[in-house]
Amino acid sequence: MRWRVELPEPGNSTPVTAGDRIFVTQPVTSKHWRGLYCFSAADGKLLWKNGVTYDKPERTHRTNPYCSASPATDGQLIFAAYGSAGIAAYDLDGKQLWHRDLGPLDHEWGSSTSPVLFGDLCLHYHGPGPGAFLIALNKTTGETVWQWDEPDWQPGTRTDGFQGQGKGIIGSFSTPILVEAKGRTELIMSFPMEMKAFDPATGKVLWTCSGLNPLVYTSPMEHNGIVVALGGYHGNSIAVRTGGSGDVTATHRLWQLVRHNGGIGTGVLHDGLYYYHDSGGIVCCLDLQTGETL
């Protein structure tokens, strides 16, 4: 072991690196603080920390602490999303360049979506919960370039065989991904009930594929022009070819698995196979073309 440092609280975010520095988001709940820590990769020394204070109530789950979103960096700037406390950008020395208050989030399981960088844009899903949206911010100023408002998902009939009382939990904890498809870049996001692709520069919806369920934990994954999305807690899983236009459910969806075993973690794709584990710790492997469990 080269070094070890204690963090103030448990967390779900993944550290990111830039050069010889490691960045990780952390909350200090007792002080209503949410922020970013920067450590030396060589010896674990804390180089700096910076963040914001948010003292208003915000619901979350005991297994999903605040600051569950991983930071993102382009090697020059670092971006951290803090849920209801907004999103902020820092330089490598810890100076806060801007902070945006995107409004409160209200979901019983909190939030976890991480920022995604594209050119001079910082793309972020501010959700789940009422009033959720996908937004593109200028990386250097924090100003809004475009915004897509998520509809109020009220499925009349559950698509995943849910038999509980009421409508069940609705919401997405997915982080969007960027995919190259037929000479263009697609920003692909798994929402409740459907997967969508956007033009990341303008926010225009390129295509939509239905077949998911109202609850989505994992991020989409792409391999050889095929995107896979797994629904949460016995939800539906789908595979879609990229590069489509409009509603591609009938033309580009390769398969749908209803009442499937997708878990919380996003898997990996390799050589036409999809590897992931369910929430019970069982590792599964699917054929990417057919959805068959191998």
Side-chain angles (χ1 to χ4, degrees), residues 257 260-261 274 276 283-288 290-294:
L257 303 176
H260 194 221
N261 59 6
Y274 187 19
Y276 67 97
V283 178
C284 304
C285 176
L286 300 184
D287 183 285
L288 186 59
T290 67
E292 178 188 2
T293 298
L294 302 178

Side-chain angles (χ1 to χ4, degrees), residues 143-176:
E143 296 177 343
T144 300
V145 176
W146 59 260
Q147 178 175 322
W148 182 83
D149 295 327
E150 183 177 304
D152 182 17
W153 306 106
Q154 298 291 338
T157 302
R158 297 287 297 205
T159 59
D160 53 3
F162 176 78
Q163 299 297 319
Q165 298 296 317
K167 62 185 180 181
I169 305 298
I170 298 174
S172 175
F173 297 83
S174 176
T175 293

Side-chain angles (χ1 to χ4, degrees), residues 108-233:
E108 57 198 288
W109 291 346
S111 63
S112 66
T113 299
S114 305
V116 175
L117 306 180
F118 174 75
D120 61 355
L121 299 178
C122 175
L123 308 163
H124 181 57
Y125 172 65
H126 189 64
F133 53 84
L134 187 63
I135 193 170
L137 305 172
N138 182 285
K139 285 201 307 187
T140 56
T141 67
E143 296 177 343
T144 300
V145 176
W146 59 260
Q147 178 175 322
W148 182 83
D149 295 327
E150 183 177 304
D152 182 17
W153 306 106
Q154 298 291 338
T157 302
R158 297 287 297 205
T159 59
D160 53 3
F162 176 78
Q163 299 297 319
Q165 298 296 317
K167 62 185 180 181
I169 305 298
I170 298 174
S172 175
F173 297 83
S174 176
T175 293
I177 62 171
L178 292 165
V179 172
E180 296 301 318
K182 295 184 177 180
R184 71 186 186 191
T185 302
E186 298 181 354
L187 177 71
I188 301 176
M189 172 78 183
S190 300
F191 293 101
M193 310 299 289
E194 61 190 24
M195 185 157 50
K196 284 184 176 292
F198 301 82
D199 180 341
T202 65
K204 177 186 176 182
V205 177
L206 301 175
W207 56 260
T208 300
C209 183
S210 62
L212 283 172
N213 56 295
L215 177 63
V216 179
Y217 294 134
T218 67
S219 300
M221 295 291 292
E222 184 269 344
H223 180 58
N224 290 338
I226 299 174
V227 181
V228 177
L230 270 64
Y233 190 69

